[in-house]
Amino acid sequence: YGAVGRDEEALSMRREVYSGRLKLQGEEHRDSLLAAEALADSLLALRQFAELKSLLQKTTLVARRVLGEKHVDTLKMRWLYANALFEDDCATLDDLREAVETLGSVAPLWTRVFGSSHPDTPCVQRALEDARKVLAARASASSSGA
């Protein structure tokens, strides 16, 4: 549904799948983590940042513990979380700093693990650049009293 622009329906289905995975397999099973990642994609597409941040704060800790820091799913969750922080119009300067810090650690790790030819490597790098730009603009506006 998400691929054809039916984001609300995709979100509903992904919520059901994630809930079902948690009940059947628990939060530490890789399928549950993948369902959380898919749900996070839908939440980001619909700009539902509060729920997205809450979901990823919880599941990223599990992914780090179960899958490890260098696992693609852990890195994707951290990337999604950082995107949620800097794409939110209500983000604080601290949120933006956290996004830059998170992407600043994810981007080089992503490149080391997957290489510069991986199709998502430029996307992660671009997210870091975008987060830095948003932070710089917001910090400048804040210091000028705007």
Side-chain angles (χ1 to χ4, degrees):
Y1 284 116
V4 294
R6 295 170 65 180
D7 295 327
E8 291 288 343
E9 291 162 284
L11 176 60
S12 177
M13 291 179 74
R14 287 177 169 172
R15 277 188 178 123
E16 288 179 33
V17 169
Y18 178 59
S19 176
R21 291 285 181 196
L22 287 177
K23 287 176 187 165
L24 286 173
Q25 298 167 311
E27 69 176 7
E28 294 188 352
H29 195 279
R30 180 149 188 258
D31 289 345
S32 297
L33 293 170
L34 289 173
E37 188 180 312
L39 175 56
D41 278 331
S42 287
L43 291 167
L44 185 61
L46 290 167
R47 302 182 63 80
Q48 294 188 16
F49 298 117
E51 184 179 351
L52 174 57
K53 289 181 230 179
S54 176
L55 171 70
L56 288 176
Q57 284 171 337
K58 199 173 33 176
T59 57
T60 300
L61 292 173
V62 175
R64 285 175 131 164
R65 185 178 70 249
V66 173
L67 303 174
E69 286 293 322
K70 296 178 182 177
H71 193 278
V72 64
D73 296 318
T74 303
L75 291 170
K76 279 185 180 178
M77 285 183 184
R78 294 182 66 209
W79 175 17
L80 284 165
Y81 178 72
N83 282 346
L85 289 172
F86 86 83
E87 289 183 22
D88 188 347
D89 294 334
C90 298
T92 66
L93 281 173
D94 286 341
D95 291 337
L96 298 174
R97 287 184 194 102
E98 183 179 356
V100 169
E101 182 181 318
T102 299
L103 287 165
S105 68
V106 168
L109 186 56
W110 184 283
T111 303
R112 271 195 310 278
V113 172
F114 302 107
S116 57
S117 62
H118 188 282
D120 285 333
T121 298
C123 300
V124 176
Q125 297 293 337
R126 192 169 34 259
L128 175 57
E129 291 170 19
D130 291 347
R132 285 178 174 156
K133 287 177 187 173
V134 171
L135 174 59
R138 186 78 63 80
S140 176
S142 178
S143 68
S144 68

